[in-house]
Amino acid sequence: MFSSLKNSATFKQYQHQAQQLLQRGLDQHIKLAVTGLSRSGKTAFITALVHHLTEQATKQNLPFFSVVQSERLIAAKTVPQSELDITTFPYRDSINCLKQGQWPSSTERINTLRIAIKYRPASGLRAQISETQTLLIDLIDYPGEWLMDLPMLELNFASWSWQQLELLNQSPRLQHAEAFLNHIAAIDWQGPVDEQQLTELATEYQGLLRKFKDELKLSVLQPGRMLMPGDLAGAPILAFFPLPEVTQAEEGSMYHHVKTRYQAYVKEVVQGFYQQHFSQFDRQIVLVDLLDALAQGHDVFNEQTQAINQLIKHFSYGKSNFIKRLFQPKIDKLLFAATKSDHLSAHHHKDLTLLLDSIISTAKNDLIFDGVKIDTMAMSSVCATTPVMVEQKGEKLSCIRGKEIASNQLMTYLPAQPPMRPLTEQEWPQHGFQFPAFYPDVGSNNGIRHIRLDHVMEFLLGDKLK
């Protein structure tokens, strides 16, 4: 009887959970949330992190990662993940893209990758137990579009509709949304359900969201699954949109029908996503592409700031101890990283850090009060440019050189200086900010360069590898 129980699926499930609890309690297993809005560089970050740990883990390449600098790192490799129902992060495809001078495709669904780092403990209980230890790191990646649904957890249909209609009636959305607003204003939402009409309006609203993302580069786009539907493509649960409030809508009315779909989406899709993937994180990095937002203009930059501060509210933060790590993990270290620092002159990296620090200052203060360790820095997971000095009229200029995507040509460029704080609309430069996009720069030995990725590793992982 015991033998049959031991071989049962239930026994193996409990055994696996027990092993995970033991590893988590002994600090041998952590879950790292790689977070960021769409196009923030999550795929490039995970690819670079794995590459530098497994193929370029030298003292010269990672001088500020203490386990490497002290020569205690034995080796690191990717290992099979425990979540068999989640897509594996396509590391090999992504690293091959980078080595061919191309950026890998953006994330379209949730995926994960597990890295095992074998090292020699420096001191403490780990060193007494064994000469070597292994830290398991689960990297969790998901589309930035899905993240923007998290604020919907706190909103009923009327409140969500009011927020979205406010946005649609403001610049820069209004000129694109007028036709949709006129269509929903002309319909009797207390009338009987017309599925054909609802489908047409949902398709029109989806088209607006795509335009706001692709052309206007906006961030607050809900529902996010309309942009990255995955398995929900064509499902009725996605066929909803904001409506003017109807206070006493009957059960069979159009308004009630759309409201029911919204409620189902929040409960079954957003809440399920949150509970399954957001309650077990130990560490978090938030990647922010400030340069692209600056280049897009004042409205886009402000919306990105709003979106980032909204998202921070929906993660579980606080001090972590042995008991909490076992049964109620909380994020105890949080890093905000401004990406693409290689697109600036080195002496302007600090300006980018100050800008990022200023837009998250309120949230940062609250999290520090709750015992969370926080840092902000400017970094590049994968460098796309190299610094060069150019002399012009007797003056030496700190420039960058790289292969520009727009022209497909190598160009030398004097980058603009980013502001050290958010600017008002009146303070915004008349001609805006120009930050060209570049292809990744790969050396002759297929090496991938970074800026401060070793600082990132030390902050997020260093204390687990002592």
Side-chain angles (χ1 to χ4, degrees):
M1 179 177 177
F2 177 75
S3 177
S4 61
L5 176 63
K6 186 176 180 180
N7 292 324
S8 69
T10 303
F11 180 85
K12 290 181 179 179
Q13 179 182 359
Y14 285 133
Q15 185 182 46
H16 173 69
Q17 291 174 347
Q19 289 173 344
Q20 283 194 319
L21 287 173
L22 179 60
Q23 289 173 338
R24 186 178 284 275
L26 294 176
D27 265 5
Q28 294 177 324
H29 178 203
I30 66 171
K31 289 196 172 186
L32 172 60
V34 181
T35 312
L37 302 178
S38 177
R39 300 180 296 267
S40 61
K42 298 185 293 297
T43 301
F45 171 80
I46 292 177
T47 305
L49 180 70
V50 175
H51 176 75
H52 287 287
L53 283 173
T54 59
E55 298 184 44
Q56 290 184 232
T58 64
K59 295 170 69 172
Q60 294 74 26
N61 186 48
L62 303 174
F64 291 96
F65 193 25
S66 59
V67 71
V68 173
Q69 189 62 26
S70 61
E71 299 182 341
R72 294 184 296 106
L73 177 67
I74 299 172
K77 68 175 184 177
T78 59
V79 295
Q81 66 203 51
S82 60
E83 294 87 353
L84 302 181
D85 59 337
I86 298 178
T87 305
T88 302
F89 179 84
Y91 168 68
R92 283 297 163 197
D93 291 342
S94 298
I95 194 64
N96 287 338
C97 277
L98 290 175
K99 289 183 176 181
Q100 293 168 14
Q102 299 290 327
W103 293 110
S105 300
S106 298
T107 304
E108 295 186 356
R109 65 185 68 189
I110 187 166
N111 53 51
T112 185
L113 191 69
R114 174 171 285 187
I115 309 174
I117 300 180
K118 193 173 185 179
Y119 67 102
R120 286 183 288 271
S123 59
L125 180 60
R126 297 191 194 108
Q128 300 298 322
I129 294 174
S130 173
E131 291 185 359
T132 65
Q133 292 285 330
T134 301
L135 176 68
L136 296 177
I137 305 168
D138 285 334
L139 300 166
I140 317 296
D141 179 32
Y142 29 75
E145 290 84 355
W146 294 8
L147 283 177
M148 283 316 305
D149 284 347
L150 295 182
M152 297 169 71
L153 290 169
E154 298 178 345
L155 301 172
N156 60 28
F157 179 63
S159 299
W160 176 78
S161 290
W162 182 86
Q163 284 190 3
Q164 299 308 307
L165 291 174
E166 280 285 297
L167 289 173
L168 292 176
N169 278 282
Q170 297 172 11
S171 176
R173 289 174 170 84
L174 180 57
Q175 60 178 323
H176 303 279
E178 280 186 311
F180 173 76
L181 293 172
N182 290 335
H183 289 159
I184 62 173
I187 294 174
D188 177 14
W189 293 103
Q190 296 192 69
V193 174
D194 184 335
E195 286 287 1
Q196 179 64 29
Q197 196 169 44
L198 290 179
T199 300
E200 290 173 356
L201 288 169
T203 301
E204 185 178 1
Y205 183 65
Q206 182 182 41
L208 280 178
L209 293 182
R210 293 194 184 282
K211 180 170 288 189
F212 296 157
K213 175 193 173 184
D214 298 335
E215 297 181 19
L216 304 186
K217 312 298 183 183
L218 298 175
S219 303
V220 181
L221 305 170
Q222 297 170 349
R225 297 283 181 124
M226 270 193 170
L227 296 166
M228 290 281 185
D231 295 337
L232 296 180
I237 199 170
L238 271 182
F240 68 90
F241 38 85
L243 292 176
E245 185 174 7
V246 176
T247 53
Q248 294 183 349
E250 296 183 1
E251 188 168 331
S253 66
M254 291 266 276
Y255 183 89
H256 185 269
H257 200 59
V258 177
K259 175 182 175 181
T260 300
R261 288 179 175 178
Y262 171 86
Q263 292 170 334
Y265 179 81
V266 172
K267 181 179 180 180
E268 297 175 24
V269 179
V270 184
Q271 188 173 326
F273 176 60
Y274 179 81
Q275 291 176 342
Q276 184 178 358
H277 302 295
F278 281 70
S279 60
Q280 300 293 317
F281 294 139
D282 302 295
R283 300 284 163 92
Q284 181 182 12
I285 180 169
V286 179
L287 300 168
V288 186
D289 186 354
L290 292 174
L291 298 186
D292 186 60
L294 287 169
Q296 297 301 329
H298 181 265
D299 290 339
V300 172
F301 181 83
N302 275 3
E303 182 153 317
Q304 182 193 66
T305 300
Q306 174 191 348
I308 291 168
N309 282 281
Q310 282 183 2
L311 292 180
I312 295 171
K313 299 176 183 177
H314 296 279
F315 288 82
S316 181
Y317 299 104
K319 288 183 178 179
S320 183
N321 56 36
F322 178 80
I323 299 299
K324 283 183 178 178
R325 282 187 58 77
L326 283 175
F327 301 109
Q328 193 180 8
K330 287 190 174 183
I331 296 168
D332 59 0
K333 275 194 172 185
L334 171 61
L335 177 63
F336 291 92
T339 59
K340 298 183 180 177
S341 64
D342 65 301
H343 289 44
L344 299 173
S345 303
H347 56 277
H348 290 325
H349 290 186
K350 66 179 185 303
D351 300 330
L352 194 63
T353 303
L354 289 171
L355 177 60
L356 178 58
D357 202 61
S358 65
I359 70 175
I360 53 115
S361 58
T362 300
K364 180 178 178 180
N365 181 72
D366 294 341
L367 292 168
I368 291 174
F369 183 87
D370 291 335
V372 183
K373 294 181 180 178
I374 298 179
D375 199 2
T376 53
M377 67 177 68
M379 56 87 68
S380 290
S381 307
V382 179
C383 286
T385 70
T386 54
V388 294
M389 296 299 296
V390 175
E391 188 169 340
Q392 187 176 37
K393 296 181 180 179
E395 181 182 3
K396 291 187 175 180
L397 303 175
S398 296
C399 299
I400 58 174
R401 182 172 175 80
K403 186 177 181 181
E404 186 191 27
I405 292 177
S407 65
N408 202 36
Q409 299 291 324
L410 281 173
M411 66 173 289
T412 300
Y413 172 72
L414 179 63
Q417 178 180 359
M420 293 181 282
R421 58 170 178 81
L423 303 179
T424 65
E425 194 168 2
Q426 291 70 34
E427 294 173 320
W428 204 266
Q430 183 178 358
H431 299 291
F433 294 93
Q434 300 295 322
F435 295 106
F438 297 89
Y439 289 108
D441 180 45
V442 182
S444 56
N445 61 346
N446 271 345
I448 294 175
R449 295 181 296 111
H450 69 87
I451 295 177
R452 299 187 190 91
L453 185 60
D454 50 341
H455 291 258
V456 172
M457 293 178 183
E458 182 63 22
F459 179 78
L460 293 172
L461 306 174
D463 60 322
K464 305 294 185 183
L465 296 165
K466 289 184 177 178

